Amino acid sequence: MTRPGRVLILAPMASELKPLVRLTRARRADSGGIRLYRSRVGAVEVALTRIGIGPATARRATERALRAVPMDHVVVTGIAGGLHPDLRVGRPVVPDTVLDLNSGASFPTAPLGATAGSGTVGVADRLITDGRLLADLLGRGVLALEMESSGVAVACAGAALPLPVIRVI
């Protein structure tokens, strides 16, 4: 895969986006009615935006952002709830698969540079607290749960763009 020249970084909540805006020294530069932050990291043009919570909201927000700013690569990031006992708070998870728990659709993720993904992150449209269901998901290989990546994956598939996923427990 060639190195991307333009990367769109997506975060569901403002609290997940703000540290990335600071880290990249991005400046607000809205486009097409979308609140965007733009920066350059080395040779890579970076745009960052918030996509909201839930797979449907994330899909719509990603589609709008991709119409507003042409990109070569999309990265979705944010927090996730860990299911696997080895996943401690603060540990990053880079899955190779995103599983939409409502539809059963599975989406492969793209590697992030030299970091190949490993494991499955499940995506739900609601908070799951049922212990039996959580144990079943863990038994099916789901390491962590979150609420947006399958929606972003649908939008990226429609735009033929690779999608790495980075979540932090």
Side-chain angles (χ1 to χ4, degrees):
M1 178 186 316
T2 61
R3 183 181 191 129
R6 300 169 300 180
V7 176
L8 177 63
I9 301 175
L10 306 171
M13 299 182 293
S15 61
E16 295 164 317
L17 182 64
K18 285 179 184 178
L20 297 171
V21 169
R22 276 194 308 272
L23 180 68
T24 61
R25 295 187 169 113
R27 299 283 178 235
R28 188 163 168 185
D30 298 353
S31 179
I34 306 294
R35 178 173 287 181
L36 288 171
Y37 298 87
R38 310 281 301 250
S39 184
R40 187 165 282 284
V41 178
V44 179
E45 177 186 339
V46 177
L48 303 100
T49 193
R50 192 170 64 83
I51 55 172
I53 298 170
T57 300
R59 179 188 51 79
R60 288 189 301 269
T62 303
E63 290 169 346
R64 282 192 309 272
L66 290 172
R67 282 192 301 271
V69 290
M71 291 285 140
D72 304 319
H73 220 84
V74 177
V75 177
V76 64
T77 188
I79 60 171
L83 293 181
H84 196 279
D86 290 343
L87 294 178
R88 302 285 182 227
V89 172
R91 177 162 174 208
V93 174
V94 180
D96 59 11
T97 305
V98 170
L99 174 64
D100 185 288
L101 299 179
N102 288 332
S103 69
S106 182
F107 303 92
T109 66
L112 181 65
T115 304
S118 172
T120 299
V121 168
V123 179
D125 61 358
R126 63 183 173 30
L127 181 64
I128 299 174
T129 59
D130 181 301
R132 279 185 257 164
L133 178 54
L134 293 171
D136 177 62
L137 290 169
L138 180 59
R140 291 174 32 203
V142 175
L143 302 175
L145 295 173
E146 46 106 329
M147 299 178 78
E148 294 79 29
S149 292
S150 63
V152 175
V154 169
C156 286
L161 290 172
L163 173 68
V165 174
I166 307 165
R167 293 294 180 151
V168 177
I169 302 301

